[in-house]
């Protein structure tokens, strides 16, 4: 019998040549990880021997060989016709008697008398999921297959899928002989996730390759909707070291639209076994996993990763009947884990009109004419360098995706098919746009930018951009620390790969603006909001238990993502420094904000925190910081207080932080003050009595020293941080900190714009210069050359 079928518990990773990568991996986990709590549904696999014996039936293998020998895989029409013809031959050919009987015997044993038991029939290629070759998604999976006849048919469909268009093309382009690859079908008990949830998880960040997180996607129903990219799933990031320390470890939660789900159909036969239905509106507004379930998935993912000793790509499903979480597939992650030490950075040199936006994949930029494709029969329309725009892709699209300079889809999340293939091909993709196929017109030139954060933009026209390449392996030594200004948590995992000594400036207002978007007063006074504002806020806070919890948890997510990315390096988080006009732009903001003639010099910074009207909002920031530091354990987070006008304000803010259990020195907490007013430098010794150091804000310090508005085009040419008066104040601040043996850094724009200014600061003995990420490498090499 073992010539034809082998039970999973008898398999391990040494059996890839017998049952392919997926089935060998399932066996490996059942055999070696069950005792560690990794739960895998039972089943069996047909063997490569069985597949090869089947292909010898009626000379099938020779006919297939002859057909493929004369095929030009770059001719997409011929490829489609040839693949279709071969697949039909396979499904028309009867199984050999011994294979037929072995499948029937295995099914009967798995059913244990329950002939209505549903199974999944999955493909597993013998050359699949090797560390240097990803065949993911090339072959078929059939779910909810009931009865031995339907299972036999599904196995034959799985065998035939070795010759779908993408699989043929992939093998040809990667030098795999068609005859050297065999197929195994895995017959596995179905997990009843149609009444629960399922998804995919990676033991690294799929965009940056950052290895300290588990990235989990989840949606309702059977997992194929997530794998195929038919649904925009929920997304979660869990920090591994924090989880292993037994602390709250969820860094990010992104609520997906989850508009549809795949459930069981009326028939248990391939093609009729599942159906897609709409998800209730109420359920769309909830997360499809609880924190307890997120942590259980993380635990199993880490056990699997440790066993295989490499980053893993794992499919999981929750059973709606028994409530348990199951692992249904695990394979090596093959794209980001092979990244080189050369840092590539795409920089958009100009901006244009945004035509649509979605989730960015790949951190690159591509441009070209739009080709809107509605189905696979139109593939020949796509020429080299076109921007492929479609609803969603599937494995059959792979041959044409190679030609595209970028891919844009209406549907899909960061683990959908289009995203996976775009990463493999090294091209940018923007997925889950919703209406790209309607908004983008065929033939119009566009620029697809995934280099600006989590949101991918499709701009009108061919915009100018550049590619910078630097090696990060051998950076020269400098006499001070180069830190980074990082406000956007979406880019934290990416930026941490640059050489750095931590984050010198993390702006809370960026998190508030991008991740929250609502005025804190509107959330505190949610019940009394005008009806129209209340409806907008209600939609924004979906998935969170209350308006205030939404505000605090989103701050926690943003801060902890930055802290985790750069841990154990220090991350200096600046408390919110919105001006009144900026706060007014938030949802509900106009209800609570004063109108000021000159907001730049008005109600901002420390004055806000200690005021009666804003103190309750400030306390929400304190609660978030307290959770990040004390509960999650990110003691590398330090607090920076901006725009402190007087020594009296400094004293009041420090006391207010103490009242909110953020006492200087407790749990290693350091308080830093922004030195950005001339008064701060002139009275540096007095201000430093309340703080552990200064971080110079050269932008405000320059405009207030020179008495000019840096936003005014009329006088902007006079703005220069290298003015003698500004340098005199900077020198005073630096010397005061050095005399008091306290930290002194700079986080303003100046050193990023002017390497000679950074050199002057280095000569003054400053402790650190915090630069914008796009200027780190150039400034570092410039300073190293000057210091040599």
């Amino acid at each position: 019998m073992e010539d034809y079928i082998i039970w999973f518990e008898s398999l391990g990773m040494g059996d890839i040549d017998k049952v392919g990568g997926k089935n060998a991996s399932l066996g490996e986990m059942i055999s070696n990880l069950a005792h560690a709590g990794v739960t895998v549904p039972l089943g069996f696999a047909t063997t490569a021997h069985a597949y090869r014996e089947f292909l010898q039936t009626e000379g099938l293998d020779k006919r297939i060989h002859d057909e493929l020998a004369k095929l030009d895989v770059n001719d997409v029409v011929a490829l489609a016709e040839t693949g279709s013809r071969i697949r039909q031959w396979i499904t028309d050919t009867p199984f050999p008697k011994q294979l037929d009987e072995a499948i029937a015997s295995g099914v009967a044993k798995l059913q244990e008398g329950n002939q209505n038991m549903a199974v999944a029939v999955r493909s597993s290629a013998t050359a699949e999921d090797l560390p240097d070759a990803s065949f993911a998604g090339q072959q078929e999976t059939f779910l909810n297959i009931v009865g031995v006849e339907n299972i036999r048919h599904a196995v034959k469909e799985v065998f035939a899928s070795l010759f779908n268009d993408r699989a043929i093309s992939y093998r040809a382009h990667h030098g795999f002989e068609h005859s050297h690859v065999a197929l195994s079908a895995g017959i596995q008990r179905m997990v009843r996730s149609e009444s629960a949830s399922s998804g995919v998880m990676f033991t690294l960040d799929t965009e940056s390759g950052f290895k300290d997180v588990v990235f989990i996607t989840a949606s309702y129903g059977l997992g194929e909707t997530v794998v195929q990219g038919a649904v925009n799933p929920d997304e979660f990031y869990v920090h591994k070291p924090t989880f292993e320390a037994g602390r709250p470890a969820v860094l990010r939660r992104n609520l997906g639209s989850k508009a549809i789900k795949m459930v069981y159909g009326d028939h248990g036969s391939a093609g009729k076994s599942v159906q897609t239905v709409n998800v209730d509106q109420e359920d769309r507004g909830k997360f499809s996993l609880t924190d307890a379930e997120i942590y259980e998935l993380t635990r199993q993912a880490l056990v699997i990763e440790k066993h295989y000793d490499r980053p893993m790509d794992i499919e999981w499903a929750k059973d709606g009947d028994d409530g348990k979480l199951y692992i249904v597939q695990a394979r090596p992650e093959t794209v980001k884990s092979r990244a080189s030490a050369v840092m590539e950075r795409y920089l958009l040199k100009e901006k244009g009109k945004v035509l649509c936006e979605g989730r960015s994949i790949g951190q690159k930029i591509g441009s070209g004419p739009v080709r809107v494709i509605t189905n696979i029969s139109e593939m020949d329309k796509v020429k080299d360098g076109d921007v492929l725009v479609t609803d969603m892709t599937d494995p059959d699209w792979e041959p044409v995706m190679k030609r595209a300079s970028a891919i844009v889809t209406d549907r899909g999340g960061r683990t959908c098919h289009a995203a996976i293939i775009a990463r493999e091909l090294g091209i940018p993709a923007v997925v889950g746009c919703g209406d790209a196929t309607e908004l983008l017109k065929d033939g119009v030139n566009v620029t697809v930018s995934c280099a600006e954060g989590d949101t991918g933009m499709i701009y009108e026209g061919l915009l100018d951009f550049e590619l910078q390449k630097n090696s990060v392996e051998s950076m020269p030594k400098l006499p001070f620390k180069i830190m980074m200004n990082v406000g956007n948590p979406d880019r934290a995992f990416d930026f941490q790969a640059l050489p750095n000594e931590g984050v010198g400036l993390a702006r809370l207002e960026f998190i508030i603006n991008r991740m929250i978007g609502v005025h804190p007063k509107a959330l505190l006074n949610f019940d009394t909001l005008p009806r129209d504002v209340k409806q907008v806020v209600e939609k924004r806070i979906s998935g969170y238990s209350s308006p205030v919890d939404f505000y605090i948890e989103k701050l926690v997510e943003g801060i902890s993502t930055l802290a985790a990315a750069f841990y154990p390096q220090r991350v200096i988080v600046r408390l919110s420094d919105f001006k009144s006009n900026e706060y007014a732009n938030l949802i509900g903001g106009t209800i609570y904000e004063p109108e000021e003639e000159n907001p730049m010099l008005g109600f901002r910074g420390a004055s806000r925190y200690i005021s009666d009207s804003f103190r309750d909002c400030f306390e929400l920031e304190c609660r978030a910081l307290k959770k990040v530091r004390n509960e999650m354990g990110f003691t590398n987070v330090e607090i920076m207080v901006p725009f402190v006008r007087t020594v009296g304000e400094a004293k009041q803010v420090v006391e207010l932080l103490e009242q909110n259990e953020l006492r200087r020195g407790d749990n290693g907490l350091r308080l830093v003050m922004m030195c950005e007013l001339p008064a701060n430098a002139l009275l540096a010794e007095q201000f430093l009595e309340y703080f552990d150091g200064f971080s110079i804000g050269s932008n405000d310090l320059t405009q207030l020293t020179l008495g000019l508005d840096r936003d005014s085009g009329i006088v902007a040419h006079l703005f220069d941080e290298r003015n003698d008066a500004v340098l005199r104040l900077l020198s005073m601040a630096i010397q005061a900190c050095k005399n008091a043996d306290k930290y002194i850094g700079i986080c303003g724009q100046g050193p990023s714009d002017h390497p000679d200014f950074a050199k002057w600061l280095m000569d003054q003995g400053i402790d650190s210069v915090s630069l914008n990420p796009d200027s780190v490498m150039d400034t570092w090499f410039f300073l190293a050359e000057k210091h040599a």
Side-chain angles (χ1 to χ4, degrees):
M1 189 71 73
E2 284 216 346
D3 282 346
Y4 297 96
I5 67 168
I6 307 176
W7 289 86
F8 287 153
E9 60 260 36
S10 300
L11 292 168
M13 289 311 291
D15 297 309
I16 290 178
D17 60 331
K18 294 179 183 175
V19 295
K22 287 180 191 170
N23 287 336
S25 182
L26 290 171
E28 179 79 10
M29 290 187 290
I30 290 174
S31 306
N32 296 288
L33 302 181
H35 69 280
V38 174
T39 316
V40 179
L42 300 178
F44 64 91
T46 64
T47 64
H49 167 79
Y51 170 80
R52 291 193 172 102
E53 186 175 293
F54 167 62
L55 281 196
Q56 289 168 8
T57 306
E58 301 176 357
L60 191 54
D61 51 355
K62 185 178 186 309
R63 283 191 286 158
I64 292 171
H65 176 271
D66 292 346
E67 194 75 9
L68 293 175
K70 61 186 181 185
L71 172 67
D72 175 6
V73 294
N74 295 312
D75 182 340
V76 292
V77 175
L79 175 63
E81 291 174 351
T82 299
S84 176
R85 194 155 45 244
I86 293 172
R87 293 192 297 273
Q88 190 65 51
W89 291 345
I90 291 172
T91 54
D92 288 346
T93 301
F95 281 143
K97 182 182 178 186
Q98 286 175 296
L99 173 57
D100 204 56
E101 290 175 352
I103 291 172
S105 171
V107 170
K109 182 178 175 182
L110 189 62
Q111 288 174 335
E112 294 181 327
N114 177 14
Q115 295 188 357
N116 291 320
M117 171 190 275
V119 300
V121 182
R122 304 178 189 276
S123 63
S124 179
T126 56
E128 183 177 31
D129 299 332
L130 302 179
D132 57 348
S134 173
F135 284 15
Q138 285 182 18
Q139 281 77 54
E140 297 293 343
T141 294
F142 298 96
L143 304 177
N144 186 33
I145 306 301
V146 178
V148 68
E149 281 306 316
N150 289 329
I151 292 170
R152 282 191 184 105
H153 180 69
V155 170
K156 203 172 283 188
E157 292 278 2
V158 161
F159 287 179
S161 72
L162 191 59
F163 298 96
N164 64 36
D165 298 355
R166 184 194 172 195
I168 295 170
S169 172
Y170 186 97
R171 289 194 296 273
H173 284 113
H174 287 80
F176 286 96
E177 283 290 336
H178 297 292
S179 59
H180 290 179
V181 183
L183 211 63
S184 164
I187 292 88
Q188 184 180 37
R189 182 182 71 78
M190 272 296 291
V191 178
R192 297 289 307 258
S193 60
E194 89 285 353
S195 56
S197 56
S198 56
V200 181
M201 57 183 173
F202 293 82
T203 61
L204 47 57
D205 175 44
T206 53
E207 293 307 294
S208 65
F210 181 58
K211 293 183 178 180
D212 280 353
V213 289
V214 175
F215 173 50
I216 302 171
T217 64
S219 195
Y220 298 118
L222 304 176
E224 286 302 289
T225 53
V226 178
V227 175
Q228 294 169 357
V231 70
N232 296 338
D234 297 331
E235 297 177 350
F236 309 93
Y237 291 89
V238 184
H239 189 232
K240 295 176 187 176
T242 303
F243 172 79
E244 290 171 331
R247 294 176 175 273
V250 179
L251 300 179
R252 299 287 296 276
R253 297 172 179 84
N254 294 320
L255 187 71
S257 56
K258 306 182 298 294
I260 58 171
K261 64 179 177 179
M262 186 179 286
V263 298
Y264 284 1
D266 296 332
H267 307 277
S269 59
K272 302 176 183 176
S273 59
V274 293
Q275 59 181 330
T276 301
V277 298
N278 291 330
V279 173
D280 292 340
Q281 201 67 42
E282 185 180 347
D283 287 337
R284 295 184 197 185
K286 298 175 183 174
F287 287 111
S288 51
L289 285 175
T290 65
D291 276 10
E293 290 165 345
I294 293 167
Y295 291 138
E296 173 56 19
L297 286 172
T298 300
R299 186 191 66 78
Q300 295 200 41
L302 293 182
V303 170
I304 294 168
E305 179 182 51
K306 186 174 182 181
H307 178 76
Y308 284 90
D309 194 28
R310 64 178 47 141
M312 297 296 288
D313 168 355
I314 302 163
E315 292 181 28
W316 64 270
K318 179 185 175 184
D319 195 301
D321 290 351
D322 64 21
K324 292 181 180 177
L325 293 159
Y326 292 88
I327 304 301
V328 294
Q329 281 189 33
R331 62 180 77 90
E333 193 280 339
T334 56
V335 179
K336 278 299 174 182
S337 53
R338 292 185 298 185
S340 71
V342 175
M343 177 71 61
E344 286 191 351
R345 304 199 59 75
Y346 282 76
L347 302 172
L348 197 60
K349 304 296 288 290
E350 55 182 333
K351 292 289 182 78
K353 178 184 176 184
V354 177
L355 299 177
C356 68
E357 58 184 56
R359 298 300 304 276
S360 65
I361 306 296
Q363 299 167 355
K364 296 184 177 182
I365 299 173
S367 59
V370 167
R371 287 290 170 260
V372 180
I373 304 298
T374 56
N375 62 67
I376 198 166
S377 65
E378 301 175 324
M379 283 202 303
D380 58 331
K381 291 182 182 177
V382 180
K383 308 301 180 189
D384 288 343
D386 286 351
V387 174
L388 172 61
V389 180
T390 189
D391 177 46
M392 58 180 276
T393 66
D394 63 38
D396 290 336
W397 288 66
E398 191 265 352
V400 74
M401 294 167 79
K402 284 186 168 75
R403 302 175 184 170
S405 62
I407 299 168
V408 181
T409 68
D410 287 342
R411 291 189 283 165
R414 284 179 51 184
T415 56
C416 73
H417 175 264
I420 291 169
I421 301 308
R423 290 188 197 100
E424 283 189 14
L425 296 174
I427 60 175
V430 180
V431 300
C433 296
D435 51 4
T437 51
E438 296 175 20
L439 294 174
L440 302 178
K441 303 304 179 187
D442 209 71
V444 171
N445 283 324
V446 297
T447 300
V448 178
S449 173
C450 297
E452 300 168 81
D454 201 40
T455 302
M457 306 287 190
I458 294 89
Y459 293 101
E460 186 175 54
L462 303 178
L463 303 184
D464 187 25
F465 65 90
E466 69 171 303
L467 169 60
Q468 294 181 349
K469 291 186 178 183
N470 293 104
S471 172
V472 299
E473 288 184 319
S474 54
M475 299 301 294
K477 297 289 185 187
L478 292 174
F480 66 172
K481 294 180 178 180
I482 287 196
M483 303 175 80
M484 280 193 285
N485 301 332
V486 182
N488 185 354
D490 295 342
R491 303 300 305 277
F493 300 152
D494 176 28
F495 291 149
Q496 62 79 32
L498 286 165
N500 70 87
E501 297 276 357
V503 176
L505 173 62
R507 300 178 180 89
L508 270 200
E509 54 267 21
F510 196 100
I511 298 170
I512 295 168
N513 208 16
R514 291 285 294 271
M515 295 174 65
I516 296 172
V518 184
H519 196 289
K521 276 285 187 190
L523 295 166
L524 285 161
N525 300 299
F526 178 74
D527 291 338
T528 60
L529 288 176
R531 186 178 175 185
D532 57 335
V533 178
K534 194 173 187 177
Q535 286 176 335
V536 175
V537 173
E538 261 176 349
K539 187 174 181 182
R540 189 61 78 101
I541 65 175
S542 292
Y544 292 82
S545 56
S546 74
V548 168
D549 280 346
F550 166 74
Y551 190 82
I552 294 170
E553 287 305 314
K554 280 298 180 191
L555 283 177
V556 167
E557 290 171 22
I559 298 166
S560 66
T561 298
L562 292 165
F566 291 89
Y567 191 85
Q569 303 278 25
R570 66 196 304 195
V571 174
I572 302 175
V573 175
R574 188 178 74 183
L575 299 166
S576 62
D577 192 26
F578 274 139
K579 292 81 174 171
S580 52
N581 60 323
E582 293 167 335
Y583 262 123
N585 288 331
L586 298 174
I587 297 166
T590 53
I591 302 170
Y592 304 103
E593 288 299 319
E595 286 192 21
E596 297 184 280
E597 287 292 326
N598 191 347
M600 185 78 78
L601 298 180
F603 192 38
R604 61 178 289 199
S607 300
R608 263 190 187 267
Y609 313 151
I610 60 179
S611 71
D612 292 336
S613 63
F614 193 80
R615 186 173 299 199
D616 54 353
C617 301
F618 177 68
E619 287 171 355
L620 301 183
E621 296 180 30
C622 294
R623 285 170 64 181
L625 281 159
K626 193 166 60 171
K627 179 172 180 177
V628 170
R629 283 184 48 85
N630 299 348
E631 293 181 38
M632 300 181 78
F634 290 116
T635 53
N636 59 323
V637 168
E638 301 179 358
I639 295 174
M640 181 151 64
V641 182
F643 221 78
V644 186
R645 290 180 167 98
T646 67
V647 175
E649 279 193 342
K651 181 173 183 290
Q652 285 179 269
V653 169
V654 171
E655 289 173 349
L656 186 56
L657 286 166
E658 282 186 19
Q659 292 167 24
N660 284 278
E661 299 176 57
L662 290 167
R663 182 192 300 271
R664 181 179 162 202
D666 283 1
N667 206 13
L669 175 60
R670 298 208 307 179
L671 298 184
V672 177
M673 191 187 96
M674 283 281 279
C675 178
E676 53 191 332
L677 292 87
N680 301 152
L682 293 168
L683 301 179
E685 291 82 359
Q686 295 178 48
F687 281 105
L688 284 169
E689 289 178 25
Y690 297 97
F691 294 95
D692 296 296
F694 280 168
S695 182
I696 296 165
S698 56
N699 294 352
D700 273 340
L701 184 62
T702 301
Q703 72 170 346
L704 292 171
T705 301
L706 300 180
L708 58 84
D709 178 356
R710 67 176 189 257
D711 293 332
S712 168
I714 301 169
V715 293
H717 65 284
L718 296 171
F719 184 92
D720 191 338
E721 298 92 334
R722 298 164 296 179
N723 179 279
D724 286 344
V726 179
L727 294 180
R728 177 77 63 88
L729 289 169
L730 291 176
S731 187
M732 291 172 66
I734 293 168
Q735 197 56 51
C737 289
K738 292 176 78 67
N739 291 342
D741 196 24
K742 295 193 174 185
Y743 166 76
I744 178 66
I746 186 168
C747 60
Q749 183 74 23
S752 294
D753 289 344
H754 309 295
D756 59 326
F757 181 46
K759 165 78 166 57
W760 181 86
L761 291 164
M762 180 172 72
D763 294 342
Q764 291 287 311
I766 201 165
D767 293 335
S768 72
V769 170
S770 194
L771 302 169
N772 294 336
D774 59 5
S775 64
V776 164
M777 304 292 278
D778 290 343
T779 305
W780 193 308
F781 285 116
F782 173 85
L783 293 173
E785 186 181 309
K786 296 295 182 185
H787 180 62

